Amino acid sequence: MMDIEFNDETIKVEDIIRKMKTELSKNNINEDIGNIKLPNHFDESDRHGSVTPELKIALEQLNRSWNNSIEYEISSHRRYIGPMIVLGKRVVRKFLRWYINPITHSQAEFNASVTRAMSAMVKQIELNEKSYSELRNEMKELVRTNEELVKQINKMYIKENR
Amino acid sequence: MIINQLLPAMSYGDAVSNSAINMQKYLRDSGHTANIYAEHIHPKLTHLVKPASKIPKNEAVIYHMAIGCDLAYEIPKFTSKRMLLYHNVTPDHFFRGYDDQSADLCVRARKELIYLKDYMDAAFADSSYNKSELDELGYRNTAVTPIIINFEDYDAPVHHQLMTRLQRSKKGTDLLFVGRIAPNKKQEDIIKTFYFYKKYFDKNARLFLVGSYTRMERYHWELKELARQLELTDVYITGHVPFNEILTYYKNADIFINMSEHEGFCVPLLEAMKFELPIISFKKSAVPETLGNGGLLVVEKDYKSIAALIKVVIDDQELKNRLLENQKQRLSYFSKKNTSEIFISKIQEILTLK
């Protein structure tokens, strides 16, 4: 049973713990979820891959800010005439919606396309890196095999010429 | 005397920014001329704050530090009294993989904190926890000046429709945590505790995690996935909400749960006290100091035991009343009158130093 701290002499911590134990035993709780880790959205390779930190940060900022909402909270810091100013601003916003909405909608669509394209590019970079890595390993293997073959050919040559 | 405040950013509704505004007020009430300057200014605060580039360097300055910023390297150029107000810097490892830019800023901030030590005439901190970091680095004339909070702001009206909705749908215990969705605040541990509470103690319970997840979208996704994996319903992650909705969630809730592993002060604990919510909190960093003798502290994250503790607190009226009484007493220490007096007296001490 874990420790708790309660800085009050009128109530004993032992009593609280006793009540906790009673609650736990009443419900007979056997399961333990302490080892359940947070689900990781990204592989470790996402954190240590070929994409530079600057590119990752830029992508995060794009994902965060592509959708500019025009429905932001209207407020005023003025104490007495503030509510009237807020009402006035809301009226103006309502009357301008017909003009502003199509423009912001187009902008949001463009932003979304750019964000998707960037995400796809980053994904492609990572896939390319994976392919390069595989190719590099294959090449290493071929170089090693080649060296072995050269050694064997040299041995045979020496043997024949004795 | 002119005493200016300099901040990397003045954000709207942020505890540090609100505290700066309050400090300005009390400095002016004490007869000083006081202005606030910042590198980044929220559009709603442009009438209160001036750009950092305009700050006069021949006047006294209080530099607020919570994140890395090039402004730190301007401090040696100030020719009058230089004071630091340290709000703590989150260790960067909490943000790595979630928001590397913020993580890098935290690393920078730590370096700047070391750099500034030789240039400050005094260094204030929101808590003894923060002060101890300054003392370890060798800062001179350190002192604790708790955050100044306008508690009367919390008496504002709630969001009526949201309140009606919450109350009409309420069938069990409503658990609450208010704070940015961020890895250091460990909302995943609150979710795991809630899992046991809902499954074994109160199937009608709900969990509200109120706070912005801007820049922490990945962590937000992970929390939602965790709730899905645990087959949990009734976990509500609200994102950024207006102030009156925050008040509504506080007024509706039955208990406040905190599992954070790094806090320089933790203003939401005081907010929970103000709204008379019993508090159960993990004992780490500045949390025990802020809670004082209020709240119940747990020293280990044994989720099922914490869930049982919640059940005990909810059911035991005598224990709950003692908790609330202690919290009320503790809250009085952080009254605006007391914290502003502490702040002004510390400032006066430094100004009289040669």
Side-chain angles (χ1 to χ4, degrees):
Chain A
M1 173 60 62
M2 67 171 192
D3 271 337
I4 59 171
E5 289 181 17
F6 183 38
N7 294 322
D8 187 316
E9 287 164 3
T10 60
I11 293 187
K12 290 184 184 161
V13 166
E14 296 77 23
D15 288 343
I16 301 174
I17 293 179
R18 186 178 42 78
K19 287 176 185 174
M20 283 164 62
K21 282 180 177 168
T22 307
E23 291 293 343
L24 287 169
S25 64
K26 252 197 286 185
N27 289 284
N28 197 24
I29 305 173
N30 291 317
E31 64 178 311
D32 181 14
I33 61 168
N35 55 355
I36 291 183
K37 298 261 184 264
L38 270 177
N40 199 335
H41 191 203
F42 299 92
D43 291 338
E44 269 309 304
S45 58
D46 285 314
R47 297 186 187 183
H48 303 291
S50 59
V51 178
T52 62
E54 291 78 14
L55 188 51
K56 278 194 174 157
I57 287 165
L59 190 56
E60 277 173 19
Q61 280 176 337
L62 268 180
N63 276 310
R64 199 179 300 128
S65 59
W66 67 267
N67 192 13
N68 287 324
S69 172
I70 55 167
E71 298 300 328
Y72 55 85
E73 191 196 343
I74 292 178
S75 64
S76 169
H77 65 277
R78 305 237 180 253
R79 192 185 286 193
Y80 300 111
I81 61 168
M84 281 170 48
I85 291 175
V86 167
L87 181 63
K89 285 180 182 176
R90 283 190 182 145
V91 167
V92 168
R93 182 158 78 178
K94 194 162 182 166
F95 275 112
L96 287 177
R97 258 193 234 275
W98 64 274
Y99 182 69
I100 303 247
N101 277 11
I103 301 169
T104 54
H105 185 66
S106 300
Q107 182 67 59
E109 276 190 359
F110 174 77
N111 292 351
S113 303
V114 167
T115 307
R116 275 194 294 270
M118 267 281 281
S119 296
M121 277 166 58
V122 167
K123 198 78 197 163
Q124 189 61 56
I125 291 171
E126 286 166 345
L127 284 171
N128 288 350
E129 173 60 30
K130 208 174 164 188
S131 301
Y132 295 148
S133 184
E134 282 164 10
L135 284 169
R136 270 196 294 270
N137 288 340
E138 265 185 52
M139 208 172 82
K140 269 187 198 165
E141 189 55 35
L142 285 169
V143 165
R144 195 192 62 78
T145 309
N146 193 43
E147 282 169 357
E148 271 302 315
L149 285 170
V150 165
K151 274 183 197 166
Q152 283 183 23
I153 289 170
N154 284 339
K155 268 187 196 167
M156 280 166 58
Y157 179 77
I158 293 166
K159 208 174 174 182
E160 268 191 33
N161 287 306
R162 270 197 191 144
Chain B
M1 188 171 181
I2 299 176
I3 304 175
N4 295 317
Q5 295 179 77
L6 182 61
L7 291 88
M10 274 294 279
S11 310
Y12 187 69
D14 172 64
V16 168
S17 305
N18 288 343
S19 184
I21 294 169
N22 287 329
M23 285 175 181
Q24 180 190 43
K25 177 190 176 324
Y26 287 106
L27 284 169
R28 286 177 175 173
D29 288 349
S30 307
H32 301 290
T33 303
N35 293 304
I36 304 175
Y37 298 82
E39 184 91 329
H40 304 284
I41 306 170
H42 190 282
K44 286 187 180 172
L45 297 174
T46 50
H47 63 291
L48 287 175
V49 184
K50 302 179 192 190
S53 57
K54 303 270 187 238
I55 190 169
K57 294 202 167 66
N58 57 343
E59 307 293 354
V61 65
I62 300 172
Y63 179 59
H64 290 253
M65 167 169 266
I67 197 84
C69 183
D70 284 339
L71 282 180
Y73 299 101
E74 296 296 306
I75 296 300
K77 296 175 187 171
F78 285 77
T79 54
S80 185
K81 289 270 190 245
R82 305 180 204 115
M83 294 163 275
L84 179 79
L85 182 40
Y86 181 52
H87 301 288
N88 212 302
V89 175
T90 308
D92 68 289
H93 67 85
F94 284 113
F95 295 152
R96 285 283 162 219
Y98 293 104
D99 181 357
D100 288 336
Q101 192 176 27
S102 291
D104 290 340
L105 284 174
C106 291
V107 171
R108 265 180 63 178
R110 292 266 163 205
K111 288 180 182 160
E112 286 159 15
L113 194 62
I114 296 168
Y115 168 77
L116 285 172
K117 136 176 105 72
D118 295 325
Y119 298 105
M120 291 297 179
D121 297 300
F124 305 129
D126 310 308
S127 60
S128 302
Y129 176 77
N130 293 353
K131 178 180 173 298
S132 67
E133 286 188 21
L134 299 175
D135 291 335
E136 260 179 66
L137 287 171
Y139 272 83
R140 300 174 294 147
N141 299 318
T142 59
V144 176
T145 55
I147 289 181
I148 303 173
I149 299 172
N150 278 335
F151 286 106
E152 57 268 24
D153 288 349
Y154 297 94
D155 295 328
V158 297
H159 188 290
H160 180 70
Q161 283 163 328
L162 174 62
M163 190 61 158
T164 307
R165 234 177 23 242
L166 290 172
Q167 291 282 294
R168 276 197 187 145
S169 53
K170 190 184 184 72
K171 290 178 191 160
T173 317
D174 285 343
L175 284 63
L176 175 71
F177 174 75
V178 175
R180 240 167 37 98
I181 302 297
N184 59 300
K185 296 194 188 280
K186 292 292 173 191
Q187 281 96 348
E188 74 252 37
D189 291 328
I190 304 177
I191 290 175
K192 288 179 183 178
T193 303
F194 178 66
Y195 167 81
F196 282 104
Y197 186 75
K198 190 168 174 74
K199 187 169 177 181
Y200 294 100
F201 299 111
D202 183 353
K203 64 180 186 337
N204 293 314
R206 296 184 294 189
L207 172 62
F208 296 96
L209 301 174
V210 177
S212 168
Y213 49 82
T214 303
R215 304 190 75 98
M216 292 295 166
E217 290 82 1
R218 195 177 292 189
Y219 183 59
H220 172 236
W221 182 90
E222 288 179 356
L223 291 177
K224 287 195 306 181
E225 270 303 293
L226 175 65
R228 197 186 60 78
Q229 240 180 49
L230 294 172
E231 293 177 15
L232 270 176
T233 55
D234 293 322
V235 174
Y236 302 96
I237 307 176
T238 66
H240 173 76
V241 294
F243 186 64
N244 64 347
E245 288 189 27
I246 298 176
L247 301 183
T248 314
Y249 285 111
Y250 270 119
K251 273 222 164 121
N252 171 73
D254 299 299
I255 190 161
F256 190 90
I257 310 294
N258 171 51
M259 294 287 197
S260 181
E261 289 190 5
H262 184 268
E263 297 289 341
F265 184 85
C266 200
V267 169
L269 290 176
L270 299 190
E271 293 172 346
M273 291 184 200
K274 164 78 182 166
F275 284 97
E276 296 183 359
L277 291 177
I279 299 168
I280 293 176
S281 177
F282 181 57
K283 184 182 178 185
K284 198 77 186 261
S285 62
V287 166
E289 183 189 344
T290 303
L291 276 179
N293 66 335
L296 274 161
L297 289 168
V298 301
V299 297
E300 193 190 322
K301 287 184 181 176
D302 178 348
Y303 305 113
K304 50 181 179 283
S305 297
I306 300 172
L309 180 57
I310 296 171
K311 175 72 172 156
V312 167
V313 169
I314 293 294
D315 287 351
D316 189 335
Q317 198 58 43
E318 190 194 344
L319 171 61
K320 195 163 142 185
N321 289 342
R322 281 311 312 160
L323 263 172
L324 293 178
E325 190 53 44
N326 292 349
Q327 285 173 193
K328 193 175 169 184
Q329 268 178 31
R330 180 58 179 158
L331 188 63
S332 65
Y333 173 76
F334 293 104
S335 67
K336 216 159 63 164
K337 181 174 183 302
N338 196 35
T339 50
S340 60
E341 278 173 8
I342 293 171
F343 170 66
I344 294 297
S345 74
K346 294 297 173 196
I347 293 285
Q348 292 298 131
E349 269 176 42
I350 299 307
L351 292 179
T352 52
L353 275 179
K354 288 200 180 147

